[in-house]
Amino acid sequence: MSNQKFDTERLHAGYDPADHQYASSVPIYESAAFGFGDAARANGILGGTVSGYSYTRNGNPTTAVLEKRIAALEGGVDAVAVGSGMAAITYTILNVAEGGGRILAPTNIYGASLDEFRTLFPKFGIQFDFYDDVNDLDEVKKRLHPDTKAIYVESVANPSTEITDIEALAKIAHENGIPLIVDNTFPTPYLLQPFKFGADIDVYSSTKGINGHGNVISGLVVDHGQFDWANGKFPQFTEPEFTLGDEESGKQVSFVDKFGKGAFAARIQTKYVRLFGGLLGPFEAYLVLLGLETISERLEKEVANATAVAKYLAANPHVKRVYYSSIEPNNSLLPKYFPKGIGAILAFEASGSEKEVANILDNVELFSYLPNVGDAKSLIVNPTRTTHREIPSAIRAKHALNNQVIRLSIGLEDAADLIADLDQAITKAFNK
Ligand SMILES: *Cc1c(COP(=O)(O)O)cnc(C)c1O
């Protein structure tokens, strides 16, 4: 099954119908526990020598299809599906830096991530070094410390759509014996596969474009399987793990011993998901699998629609600036990272004051005013008052994010209707 193309794998990877009554749609295994059958099989499942399931907190057959499918789509070795994008990010950070250490991250990241990194992780002994321009490589090099455990970035910034130079950052990370972690939520694996540019771990809010229908909260951690966790900086992967060893013989085993290149995802599954909880439930996994089946067609049309909307906005006299790097003529990172386009999300700065912004929000009819992106339906939001409240105003100001900025997530409607809706809302807003 390996080496199939993206459009084939999004429908088939990780699922063998012969194991599931030849069901054409991945069955929902809505069961808390799974029978051991007999004592020998119980020993085998819990000892890891027989594949099977015991308890859904530790693993579920429906969720496992999603995990295998996303790993295949990304060119990774393994993946873990959890209850939200924030859970995926949290477990990833803890897994790489638990026990203390530093992480380097730009300030242009998702609001809840920035808030967690600034205010919560330090209470767990994990400190963050922040820098402002994601692609300022000199700044990155300057801020690495001997105990820096990872560089963490987002592939496309929200809402500016600024593109991150993943290859350059991966090179610096690897020269320093640390991994590059990429939140690739905005582009989805259809538009960008960070592993191709050297990223080591991808995290997703699959709530967004991967599922694409705005009906489930979910997160994914995907493991490239190329990073050397035994390089001396990450003892949690090389020290004996009680649950992997054999009590009777006294044999001790580490995550690297047992899982080799797949140690990162295996450790999240074995330690964080099993002990902290939060595995994505089978029904939610089913919905994400269903959404994923049409990811290519959705993203292709959403990019075309978003491009048409961005061009309309760029020509509107009440729009000061459009943030959509797909239409920037001289963006050198665009052809390298985003030949199929930057995605469904864009933003614009309206002229006038916050009053006109409120008028636009109050007058749109087709766009839904809510805090989400990547839905099949088009969405609108004023970030500084809603989604980006978690970001201190001083940091927002550094990224040109003021109260006149409006973010759009473009769906699958007819582009002409979306443009007509924005046009009537903007016209009304400025005639009041
Ligand atoms: C939404 C989002 C998250 C958080 O995901 P949840 O599923 O809401 O927990 C993280 N990163 C980015 C870029 C997001 O857009």
Side-chain angles (χ1 to χ4, degrees), residues 14 53 60-69 285:
Y53 295 88
N60 177 281
T62 310
T63 310
V65 175
L66 173 61
E67 293 172 335
K68 289 189 199 122
R69 189 160 296 176

Side-chain angles (χ1 to χ4, degrees), residues 84-86 89 110 113 154 183 185-186 205 207-208 217-218 373:
S84 70
M86 287 314 298
I89 292 163
Y110 183 68
S113 304
E154 291 179 7
D183 179 338
T185 297
F186 269 37
S205 168
T207 310
K208 317 289 170 53
I217 299 285
S218 62
V373 293

Side-chain angles (χ1 to χ4, degrees), residues 159-175:
S160 72
T161 76
E162 178 182 11
I163 298 168
T164 297
D165 191 352
I166 291 171
E167 194 166 52
L169 290 165
K171 186 161 172 279
I172 296 173
H174 297 158
E175 280 164 4

Side-chain angles (χ1 to χ4, degrees), residues 149-303:
K149 305 287 181 132
I151 300 175
Y152 178 98
V153 295
E154 291 179 7
S155 48
V156 173
N158 168 12
S160 72
T161 76
E162 178 182 11
I163 298 168
T164 297
D165 191 352
I166 291 171
E167 194 166 52
L169 290 165
K171 186 161 172 279
I172 296 173
H174 297 158
E175 280 164 4
N176 288 276
I178 58 173
L180 177 69
I181 301 166
V182 177
D183 179 338
N184 194 42
T185 297
F186 269 37
T188 81
Y190 175 73
L191 296 176
L192 177 73
Q193 294 169 4
F195 294 166
K196 291 195 175 142
F197 298 98
D200 299 289
I201 307 294
D202 285 350
V203 291
Y204 284 100
S205 168
S206 37
T207 310
K208 317 289 170 53
I210 286 183
N211 170 55
H213 293 80
N215 53 7
V216 63
I217 299 285
S218 62
L220 300 162
V221 181
V222 195
D223 185 352
H224 191 188
Q226 299 299 308
F227 190 78
D228 178 13
W229 298 104
N231 70 3
K233 286 193 173 220
F234 305 93
Q236 65 270 39
F237 293 98
T238 52
E239 67 200 10
E241 161 60 27
F242 171 70
T243 61
L244 301 179
D246 180 18
E247 229 177 333
E248 275 151 49
S249 68
K251 192 171 169 249
Q252 300 205 324
V253 181
S254 74
F255 279 95
V256 165
D257 292 337
K258 172 139 189 204
F259 298 101
K261 295 286 192 190
F264 193 86
R267 193 169 186 282
I268 289 193
Q269 202 284 323
T270 309
K271 300 305 281 187
Y272 288 101
V273 171
R274 184 178 60 93
L275 299 178
F276 282 7
L279 186 79
L280 188 67
F283 182 64
E284 285 76 12
Y286 170 84
L287 289 176
V288 178
L289 282 163
L290 194 58
L292 189 53
E293 290 192 352
T294 53
I295 189 169
S296 311
E297 289 75 13
R298 282 190 287 106
L299 264 294
E300 207 180 305
K301 175 153 189 198
E302 285 169 7
V303 165

